[in-house]
Amino acid sequence: MANRISDETMDYVGILAKLDLNEEEKEAARSDMQKMLDYVDKLNELDTSNVEPMTHIFSMGNVFREDVVTNQDDRANMLLNAPKEKDGQYMVPKTVE
């Protein structure tokens, strides 16, 4: 069984979580936290010396596609969407004085 969770620890967790718990709620939270710690202790009893560390449960390589440019410079067609155009560029209202 894991170490008992102290009142100071419960107060500190309450501050971190920004919770204002009454005594009954603190006791329920303490019980839940104790159950979690007991479960972790139970997991620590397992022999994992022959288990290889892994980053994911599925063995995958790089699943990203190659970064290939599929569209070319199509300035003329893009400028057709502009409300105003000047010298091959979008013309926008002045925003800074």
Side-chain angles (χ1 to χ4, degrees):
M1 183 170 181
N3 293 338
R4 240 1 236 152
I5 299 172
S6 67
D7 290 334
E8 293 82 22
T9 302
M10 286 305 301
D11 291 338
Y12 185 63
V13 169
I15 290 169
L16 291 177
K18 297 183 180 183
L19 297 174
D20 187 21
L21 303 175
N22 62 34
E23 288 304 315
E24 185 178 301
E25 292 168 329
K26 278 185 187 179
E27 203 50 49
R30 181 191 326 263
S31 173
D32 290 343
M33 290 171 63
Q34 190 63 48
K35 288 176 187 174
M36 287 184 252
L37 292 175
D38 291 342
Y39 185 71
V40 169
D41 282 345
K42 185 74 171 167
L43 289 175
N44 285 335
E45 294 174 7
L46 295 173
D47 179 21
T48 58
S49 59
N50 294 327
V51 178
E52 194 172 321
M54 59 183 153
T55 58
H56 200 276
I57 60 170
F58 300 113
S59 58
M60 287 189 213
N62 187 359
V63 295
F64 297 111
R65 65 171 171 76
E66 288 294 320
D67 190 13
V68 179
V69 177
T70 57
N71 58 343
Q72 301 299 318
D73 184 19
D74 197 10
R75 181 184 300 239
N77 279 334
M78 287 189 277
L79 285 173
L80 291 175
N81 294 321
K84 292 184 182 178
E85 175 259 327
K86 181 179 178 183
D87 299 328
Q89 297 180 9
Y90 288 98
M91 191 171 172
V92 296
K94 186 175 182 178
T95 57
V96 179
E97 295 293 327

